[in-house]
Structures are given as C-alpha cells and as structure tokens.
Amino acid sequence: MALANGTSTLELDRAGTGPRTLIDPFARAITYLRVSVTDRCDFRCVYCMSEHMTFLPKADLLSLEELDRLCSAFIARGVSKLRLTGGEPLVRRGIMTLVSSLSRHLATGALKELTLTTNGSQLEKYAAELKGHGVKRINVSLDTLDADKFRAITRWGDLDKVLAGIDAAQTAGLQVKINAVALKGVNEDEIAGLLEWANGRGMDLTVIEVMPLGDVGETRLDQYLPLSMVRARLAERFTLEDIDYATGGPARYVRVKETGGRLGFITPMTHNFCESCNRVRITCTGTLYMCLGQNDAADLRTPLRASESNDLIHAAIDEAITRKPKGHDFVIDRRHQRPALSRHMSVTGG
Ligand code: SAM
Ligand code: SF4
C-alpha cells in the first residue's frame, strides 16, 4: 500500500518511522547493491569472457527508468552504497541519465556512495560528468602496463585509451582505485611495478584472485595464482604492514612502507570473506543474485512490471533475502576443471 508521501508500507520498520532494513538469515544487514547495467563490453578479457560471447537480447533488458526504480526500492530499504558495473557500464547507451537520476539519493543522504567499476575505455569522455553527479571514487580494472600484454589480456583493449581515461578521472578529481586480476605466468612479474605506479599516482591497488565463473575457453588452473604467493613475493621487496582500512568490500589492506600507499588483496579462493558479506547484485534484466558464488536468484523484473506500486518488488526482495546463503565455495583444482558456475562475471559485474 502506498502512503500519502509516496512511501510504501513495506519500506517502513515496525514503528512506521524509518526504512525497514534488509537483514539476511545470518544477521547480516544488506547495505550494498551492485548493479550490472549491461552484459556487453568493448573488451573480451580472457578470464571474464570468451571471444565469441552471446549477449542477452536487448528486449530482455530493463530500461534505465526501470533500473532506477529497482535501485530506488533497494535504497528505500537501507541500501546506502551502490556500484554500477557490467559488462562495461559506460558502454550502456544513456548511462549518464541513470547516474544523474540516482544522484538524487545522494542529495537526500539516503545514499552515501554512488560509484562504478569500469575498464576505463570511456572515462576520458565521462569522468567530468561522473564527478558532476556526485561520484567520488571509481575502480578501474587494469592488469598490466605493457601495451602488448594489455591487448593480449583484454583481446580488444587499447592501453593508451585506458591510461588517458585514468588521467581524465584524476584531473576531474575522482579518487581512483586500480583493480588487477593476478594471472599466473601473465602479469605475476608486473605486480610490483603496478603497485609502484598506482601508489606513485596516489591510487590504491587491489589484486584479485581469478574466480571460476563462466566458460571462457581457457583452463582456470592455468590462470589461477594464489595471492598468498603474490604477497610473499612482494614482501621480499616491500614492507607490508597490515592495517584496519576497510571500504565495505572484501579486500584486506596493507600499507606499503616504501610507497606510502595501500595495497588490497581480494582472495575469494584462499580466504573466504563471506561472514561479513553485506551485498547483493542485480543484473540488467532485473535478476537478483544473493551471492556471487551461487546460482540461486530471484526475478525482480516480473514484480517490477506487474504493478506501478513497489509493494510486489519489496515482497520479492524480502523473500529473496531469506535465501541469501552463508557463503560460496569456489574450487579450482585438477579434479574441477569446469567452471564452478556457468554464469560469466560480466553478468553480475564482480
Ligand atoms: N568492465 C568493468 C571492468 O572490467 O572493470 C566492470 C565489470 S568486470 C566483470 C568487474 C571486475 O571483475 C573487473 O575488475 C575484472 O577484472 C573482474 N573479473 C572479471 N572476471 C573475473 C574472474 N573470472 N575472476 C576474478 N575477477 C574477475
Ligand atoms: Fe569487459 Fe570488464 Fe569483463 Fe574485461 S573484465 S571483459 S572489461 S566486463
């Protein structure tokens, strides 16, 4: 039922005063929503996509207005951090309209942070506009500073364009964090260099273990490099001091004494961080995934389209949150050569 101020009764707590927050069966409050606004991308990174991907039919996509409505329903339920991702979020046509409309929640204070993860290819074009809409920090994915290797990893990407995008983002006043996937035999010798480069420009670097999502036509065992090895090797050259710094994500950070900057480790494979998981993900078709590492999902597009009131959406979200699992259990070993999940990372956006 909608109240006079437009609020749904399902958005209110028992006292009818504040938003009814989303609490999962393991007492974790869901305050972080990641939104994949498109499954398409202008790159074909070897660990993320196969070269010949089949994308969702355009007719299945939620419109930007529908994405806004869905995001706003989550914000009404206590989500205070929202990350746009993809595929490549900045290749979705009209994406700035969505960023602009979502920024109204920053203005009211309901949303504390609106951010995005991007491959950087379109940043030169959009950095200033993003800043203008209240985006403060962004993550840019970059696995190497070697142009040939960059092309080999991304298949279609142009390093210079991404570097120009990072320049534009910093010039616009956006805080940039670099995300690099650690790839055995590909960039493992470059992580020290990436760290010096990123920290030298005032950017944190986060390294990520490759996760077994989607059939990408490569053998995961060939790509997988445990971060315990990366850390041990970096520790030969740098002084790494554990720090409490947290961004609400799964990264564990160290301060690098020699650079004065920060280095984060995201270790879904070697260290399970599910106990503090505060997030859920929606795809560009309105499917809600309660865990990146599980197949269970809920359809929010049907309730979204069934009624102009948000009550059906809230009921569907509530039901889905009761199914949020305790955690994931990715495995990469010689007995598990197949992907743990058939879904590609570009569907949920990491
Ligand atoms: N296109 C954007 C980008 O690359 O930043 C956003 C979407 S991308 C799927 C989000 C992040 O997931 C990127 O940092 C990417 O490196 C990472 N990623 C993709 N596939 C992965 C995999 N199989 N294992 C670990 N990280 C992965
Ligand atoms: Fe595209 Fe990002 Fe996946 Fe690379 S990691 S193919 S840039 S979605």
Side-chain angles (χ1 to χ4, degrees):
M1 189 181 79
L3 302 178
N5 64 2
T7 309
S8 156
T9 45
L10 282 163
E11 293 171 7
L12 300 179
D13 65 13
R14 278 209 194 93
T17 50
R20 208 156 58 89
T21 44
L22 297 167
I23 309 282
D24 81 359
F26 303 95
R28 298 171 296 195
I30 308 305
T31 54
Y32 181 8
L33 178 68
R34 298 175 68 108
V35 186
S36 176
V37 297
T38 174
D39 64 332
R40 288 160 201 257
C41 186
D42 51 348
F43 291 4
R44 291 287 182 279
C45 301
V46 291
Y47 45 75
C48 179
M49 294 192 182
S50 68
E51 191 154 15
H52 307 286
M53 290 285 289
T54 310
F55 293 107
L56 294 162
K58 287 217 166 109
D60 287 359
L61 298 194
L62 295 186
S63 67
L64 294 170
E65 292 75 17
E66 288 173 324
L67 276 170
D68 180 280
R69 199 175 140 207
L70 210 45
C71 292
S72 301
F74 276 94
I75 293 166
R77 301 296 301 279
V79 161
S80 58
K81 177 171 174 179
L82 201 148
R83 179 177 299 277
L84 303 180
T85 176
E88 174 47 40
L90 296 181
V91 302
R92 169 98 196 228
R93 191 173 306 155
I95 185 64
M96 284 303 138
T97 316
L98 179 64
V99 176
S100 165
S101 70
L102 288 173
S103 70
R104 73 188 184 279
H105 298 295
L106 290 170
T108 65
L111 198 56
K112 303 275 180 293
E113 184 169 22
L114 175 59
T115 184
L116 82 162
T117 299
T118 172
N119 65 23
S121 69
Q122 312 296 314
L123 265 181
E124 240 184 318
K125 186 163 146 200
Y126 289 128
E129 231 178 308
L130 286 168
K131 183 71 170 51
H133 291 313
V135 173
K136 293 199 172 77
R137 306 188 301 164
I138 58 170
N139 290 353
V140 180
S141 305
L142 178 64
D143 306 324
T144 176
L145 291 169
D146 176 308
D148 293 335
K149 216 182 274 184
F150 185 81
R151 173 55 64 102
I153 294 173
T154 61
R155 292 194 183 104
W156 296 2
D158 176 355
L159 178 65
D160 283 343
K161 218 160 180 316
V162 172
L163 294 179
I166 293 171
D167 286 343
Q170 291 197 296
T171 304
L174 292 169
Q175 208 179 310
V176 178
K177 178 164 81 72
I178 302 294
N179 281 346
V181 176
L183 297 164
K184 189 158 88 183
V186 179
N187 65 355
E188 57 181 300
D189 294 335
E190 269 196 78
I191 294 177
L194 261 177
L195 176 64
E196 282 175 325
W197 171 80
N199 283 179
R201 296 182 51 137
M203 307 184 291
D204 292 347
L205 172 72
T206 298
V207 276
I208 307 172
E209 277 173 351
V210 76
M211 287 173 251
L213 264 67
D215 187 352
V216 292
E218 311 259 336
T219 306
R220 291 290 176 196
L221 197 63
D222 289 346
Q223 299 178 334
Y224 175 58
L225 176 65
L227 292 191
S228 48
M229 283 175 66
V230 174
R231 183 172 175 150
R233 210 171 305 162
L234 288 174
E236 290 169 10
R237 186 156 153 199
F238 301 100
T239 316
L240 308 179
E241 301 164 339
D242 285 313
I243 51 173
D244 272 343
Y245 179 72
T247 58
R252 285 173 303 153
Y253 281 90
V254 295
R255 165 88 49 204
V256 184
K257 203 167 162 206
E258 289 74 9
T259 63
R262 278 185 295 246
L263 168 66
F265 297 95
I266 300 186
T267 53
M269 309 301 296
T270 51
H271 171 84
N272 195 304
F273 40 66
C274 304
E275 65 278 2
S276 57
C277 184
N278 59 352
R279 64 192 56 193
V280 291
R281 296 166 166 84
I282 50 176
T283 71
C284 54
T285 56
T287 303
L288 173 66
Y289 284 97
M290 287 71 84
C291 172
L292 178 65
Q294 306 274 1
N295 273 325
D296 192 26
D299 166 31
L300 298 183
R301 187 175 54 182
T302 305
L304 179 83
R305 289 184 174 168
S307 156
E308 280 181 16
S309 141
N310 281 349
D311 288 354
L312 293 178
I313 301 175
H314 286 297
I317 294 173
D318 278 329
E319 190 280 326
I321 296 300
T322 66
R323 287 189 273 131
K324 185 166 164 64
K326 195 164 179 204
H328 66 248
D329 45 8
F330 293 132
V331 187
I332 294 182
D333 66 24
R334 293 194 187 280
R335 284 184 301 116
H336 298 81
Q337 289 281 351
R338 276 173 295 121
L341 295 176
S342 57
R343 192 175 77 233
H344 285 90
M345 190 67 115
S346 50
V347 173
T348 46

mmCIF file of all heavy atoms in Angstrom, residues 227-248:
data_model
loop_
_atom_site.group_PDB
_atom_site.id
_atom_site.type_symbol
_atom_site.label_atom_id
_atom_site.label_comp_id
_atom_site.label_asym_id
_atom_site.label_seq_id
_atom_site.Cartn_x
_atom_site.Cartn_y
_atom_site.Cartn_z
ATOM 1 N N LEU A 227 46.951 -15.511 -4.059
ATOM 2 C CA LEU A 227 47.541 -14.237 -3.635
ATOM 3 C C LEU A 227 48.530 -14.400 -2.495
ATOM 4 O O LEU A 227 49.348 -13.513 -2.256
ATOM 5 C CB LEU A 227 46.440 -13.239 -3.252
ATOM 6 C CG LEU A 227 45.567 -12.749 -4.400
ATOM 7 C CD1 LEU A 227 44.712 -11.572 -3.944
ATOM 8 C CD2 LEU A 227 46.392 -12.342 -5.615
ATOM 9 N N SER A 228 48.469 -15.540 -1.806
ATOM 10 C CA SER A 228 49.482 -15.791 -0.778
ATOM 11 C C SER A 228 50.864 -15.768 -1.429
ATOM 12 O O SER A 228 51.830 -15.244 -0.870
ATOM 13 C CB SER A 228 49.227 -17.141 -0.100
ATOM 14 O OG SER A 228 49.014 -18.129 -1.083
ATOM 15 N N MET A 229 50.949 -16.278 -2.661
ATOM 16 C CA MET A 229 52.237 -16.263 -3.377
ATOM 17 C C MET A 229 52.606 -14.855 -3.819
ATOM 18 O O MET A 229 53.756 -14.436 -3.759
ATOM 19 C CB MET A 229 52.172 -17.193 -4.593
ATOM 20 C CG MET A 229 52.302 -18.656 -4.202
ATOM 21 S SD MET A 229 52.066 -19.729 -5.619
ATOM 22 C CE MET A 229 53.500 -19.303 -6.596
ATOM 23 N N VAL A 230 51.596 -14.109 -4.285
ATOM 24 C CA VAL A 230 51.842 -12.725 -4.710
ATOM 25 C C VAL A 230 52.356 -11.917 -3.520
ATOM 26 O O VAL A 230 53.350 -11.191 -3.618
ATOM 27 C CB VAL A 230 50.538 -12.087 -5.258
ATOM 28 C CG1 VAL A 230 50.729 -10.613 -5.557
ATOM 29 C CG2 VAL A 230 50.055 -12.837 -6.490
ATOM 30 N N ARG A 231 51.684 -12.089 -2.396
ATOM 31 C CA ARG A 231 52.069 -11.329 -1.205
ATOM 32 C C ARG A 231 53.489 -11.693 -0.759
ATOM 33 O O ARG A 231 54.293 -10.817 -0.431
ATOM 34 C CB ARG A 231 51.065 -11.596 -0.070
ATOM 35 C CG ARG A 231 51.398 -10.774 1.144
ATOM 36 C CD ARG A 231 50.351 -10.848 2.222
ATOM 37 N NE ARG A 231 50.846 -10.119 3.384
ATOM 38 C CZ ARG A 231 50.106 -9.494 4.258
ATOM 39 N NH1 ARG A 231 48.813 -9.490 4.141
ATOM 40 N NH2 ARG A 231 50.649 -8.857 5.274
ATOM 41 N N ALA A 232 53.787 -12.984 -0.769
ATOM 42 C CA ALA A 232 55.120 -13.419 -0.320
ATOM 43 C C ALA A 232 56.194 -12.804 -1.214
ATOM 44 O O ALA A 232 57.230 -12.333 -0.744
ATOM 45 C CB ALA A 232 55.195 -14.939 -0.347
ATOM 46 N N ARG A 233 55.910 -12.771 -2.507
ATOM 47 C CA ARG A 233 56.913 -12.218 -3.415
ATOM 48 C C ARG A 233 57.058 -10.701 -3.226
ATOM 49 O O ARG A 233 58.166 -10.168 -3.236
ATOM 50 C CB ARG A 233 56.529 -12.540 -4.859
ATOM 51 C CG ARG A 233 57.766 -12.660 -5.708
ATOM 52 C CD ARG A 233 57.503 -13.182 -7.092
ATOM 53 N NE ARG A 233 56.817 -14.448 -7.131
ATOM 54 C CZ ARG A 233 56.183 -14.901 -8.217
ATOM 55 N NH1 ARG A 233 56.118 -14.159 -9.293
ATOM 56 N NH2 ARG A 233 55.597 -16.072 -8.213
ATOM 57 N N LEU A 234 55.938 -10.003 -3.035
ATOM 58 C CA LEU A 234 56.011 -8.550 -2.815
ATOM 59 C C LEU A 234 56.737 -8.235 -1.509
ATOM 60 O O LEU A 234 57.462 -7.243 -1.413
ATOM 61 C CB LEU A 234 54.597 -7.947 -2.781
ATOM 62 C CG LEU A 234 53.864 -7.875 -4.125
ATOM 63 C CD1 LEU A 234 52.429 -7.400 -3.916
ATOM 64 C CD2 LEU A 234 54.583 -6.943 -5.106
ATOM 65 N N ALA A 235 56.559 -9.130 -0.527
ATOM 66 C CA ALA A 235 57.166 -8.898 0.794
ATOM 67 C C ALA A 235 58.692 -8.982 0.734
ATOM 68 O O ALA A 235 59.369 -8.476 1.626
ATOM 69 C CB ALA A 235 56.607 -9.885 1.804
ATOM 70 N N GLU A 236 59.218 -9.590 -0.334
ATOM 71 C CA GLU A 236 60.680 -9.628 -0.479
ATOM 72 C C GLU A 236 61.213 -8.235 -0.828
ATOM 73 O O GLU A 236 62.360 -7.910 -0.582
ATOM 74 C CB GLU A 236 61.084 -10.607 -1.596
ATOM 75 C CG GLU A 236 60.844 -12.062 -1.227
ATOM 76 C CD GLU A 236 60.993 -12.992 -2.437
ATOM 77 O OE1 GLU A 236 61.467 -12.535 -3.505
ATOM 78 O OE2 GLU A 236 60.616 -14.168 -2.300
ATOM 79 N N ARG A 237 60.356 -7.432 -1.420
ATOM 80 C CA ARG A 237 60.801 -6.130 -1.920
ATOM 81 C C ARG A 237 60.231 -4.948 -1.132
ATOM 82 O O ARG A 237 60.826 -3.895 -1.067
ATOM 83 C CB ARG A 237 60.366 -6.055 -3.391
ATOM 84 C CG ARG A 237 60.847 -4.864 -4.098
ATOM 85 C CD ARG A 237 60.895 -5.141 -5.588
ATOM 86 N NE ARG A 237 60.735 -3.911 -6.303
ATOM 87 C CZ ARG A 237 60.369 -3.828 -7.563
ATOM 88 N NH1 ARG A 237 60.120 -4.920 -8.252
ATOM 89 N NH2 ARG A 237 60.261 -2.662 -8.146
ATOM 90 N N PHE A 238 59.023 -5.153 -0.581
ATOM 91 C CA PHE A 238 58.345 -4.050 0.123
ATOM 92 C C PHE A 238 58.045 -4.456 1.561
ATOM 93 O O PHE A 238 57.900 -5.636 1.865
ATOM 94 C CB PHE A 238 57.008 -3.716 -0.555
ATOM 95 C CG PHE A 238 57.126 -3.302 -1.989
ATOM 96 C CD1 PHE A 238 56.862 -4.204 -3.015
ATOM 97 C CD2 PHE A 238 57.484 -2.004 -2.327
ATOM 98 C CE1 PHE A 238 56.953 -3.827 -4.341
ATOM 99 C CE2 PHE A 238 57.575 -1.619 -3.653
ATOM 100 C CZ PHE A 238 57.318 -2.528 -4.665
ATOM 101 N N THR A 239 57.904 -3.436 2.421
ATOM 102 C CA THR A 239 57.466 -3.694 3.789
ATOM 103 C C THR A 239 55.948 -3.545 3.814
ATOM 104 O O THR A 239 55.420 -2.451 3.569
ATOM 105 C CB THR A 239 58.106 -2.661 4.747
ATOM 106 O OG1 THR A 239 59.489 -2.529 4.382
ATOM 107 C CG2 THR A 239 57.969 -3.079 6.186
ATOM 108 N N LEU A 240 55.241 -4.642 4.061
ATOM 109 C CA LEU A 240 53.776 -4.628 4.032
ATOM 110 C C LEU A 240 53.238 -4.679 5.453
ATOM 111 O O LEU A 240 53.489 -5.628 6.185
ATOM 112 C CB LEU A 240 53.252 -5.838 3.237
ATOM 113 C CG LEU A 240 53.845 -6.048 1.835
ATOM 114 C CD1 LEU A 240 53.260 -7.301 1.179
ATOM 115 C CD2 LEU A 240 53.603 -4.828 0.933
ATOM 116 N N GLU A 241 52.534 -3.611 5.846
ATOM 117 C CA GLU A 241 52.021 -3.543 7.221
ATOM 118 C C GLU A 241 50.505 -3.684 7.203
ATOM 119 O O GLU A 241 49.809 -2.878 6.560
ATOM 120 C CB GLU A 241 52.397 -2.187 7.846
ATOM 121 C CG GLU A 241 53.897 -1.954 7.874
ATOM 122 C CD GLU A 241 54.293 -0.482 8.110
ATOM 123 O OE1 GLU A 241 53.462 0.433 7.870
ATOM 124 O OE2 GLU A 241 55.435 -0.263 8.516
ATOM 125 N N ASP A 242 49.985 -4.712 7.889
ATOM 126 C CA ASP A 242 48.536 -4.915 7.950
ATOM 127 C C ASP A 242 47.872 -3.689 8.565
ATOM 128 O O ASP A 242 48.341 -3.170 9.574
ATOM 129 C CB ASP A 242 48.202 -6.158 8.792
ATOM 130 C CG ASP A 242 48.507 -7.444 8.024
ATOM 131 O OD1 ASP A 242 48.108 -7.531 6.851
ATOM 132 O OD2 ASP A 242 49.172 -8.337 8.584
ATOM 133 N N ILE A 243 46.783 -3.247 7.948
ATOM 134 C CA ILE A 243 46.057 -2.091 8.509
ATOM 135 C C ILE A 243 44.570 -2.417 8.553
ATOM 136 O O ILE A 243 44.111 -3.337 7.881
ATOM 137 C CB ILE A 243 46.284 -0.798 7.682
ATOM 138 C CG1 ILE A 243 46.021 -1.041 6.170
ATOM 139 C CG2 ILE A 243 47.666 -0.231 7.912
ATOM 140 C CD1 ILE A 243 46.069 0.217 5.327
ATOM 141 N N ASP A 244 43.824 -1.644 9.322
ATOM 142 C CA ASP A 244 42.396 -1.895 9.510
ATOM 143 C C ASP A 244 41.528 -1.294 8.411
ATOM 144 O O ASP A 244 40.333 -1.505 8.390
ATOM 145 C CB ASP A 244 41.927 -1.310 10.852
ATOM 146 C CG ASP A 244 42.121 -2.328 11.948
ATOM 147 O OD1 ASP A 244 42.292 -3.512 11.612
ATOM 148 O OD2 ASP A 244 42.135 -1.931 13.126
ATOM 149 N N TYR A 245 42.138 -0.527 7.510
ATOM 150 C CA TYR A 245 41.379 0.201 6.485
ATOM 151 C C TYR A 245 40.361 -0.717 5.796
ATOM 152 O O TYR A 245 40.679 -1.832 5.397
ATOM 153 C CB TYR A 245 42.366 0.750 5.458
ATOM 154 C CG TYR A 245 41.729 1.503 4.316
ATOM 155 C CD1 TYR A 245 41.165 2.755 4.503
ATOM 156 C CD2 TYR A 245 41.691 0.951 3.038
ATOM 157 C CE1 TYR A 245 40.583 3.440 3.448
ATOM 158 C CE2 TYR A 245 41.117 1.635 1.972
ATOM 159 C CZ TYR A 245 40.569 2.877 2.195
ATOM 160 O OH TYR A 245 39.994 3.538 1.149
ATOM 161 N N ALA A 246 39.126 -0.251 5.663
ATOM 162 C CA ALA A 246 38.088 -1.055 5.009
ATOM 163 C C ALA A 246 37.210 -0.143 4.171
ATOM 164 O O ALA A 246 36.919 0.991 4.557
ATOM 165 C CB ALA A 246 37.245 -1.761 6.062
ATOM 166 N N THR A 247 36.802 -0.621 3.006
ATOM 167 C CA THR A 247 35.950 0.192 2.133
ATOM 168 C C THR A 247 34.553 -0.405 2.046
ATOM 169 O O THR A 247 33.779 -0.041 1.183
ATOM 170 C CB THR A 247 36.541 0.266 0.718
ATOM 171 O OG1 THR A 247 36.662 -1.082 0.235
ATOM 172 C CG2 THR A 247 37.880 0.945 0.688
ATOM 173 N N GLY A 248 34.257 -1.348 2.929
ATOM 174 C CA GLY A 248 32.948 -2.005 2.870
ATOM 175 C C GLY A 248 32.978 -3.183 1.915
ATOM 176 O O GLY A 248 31.978 -3.844 1.689
#
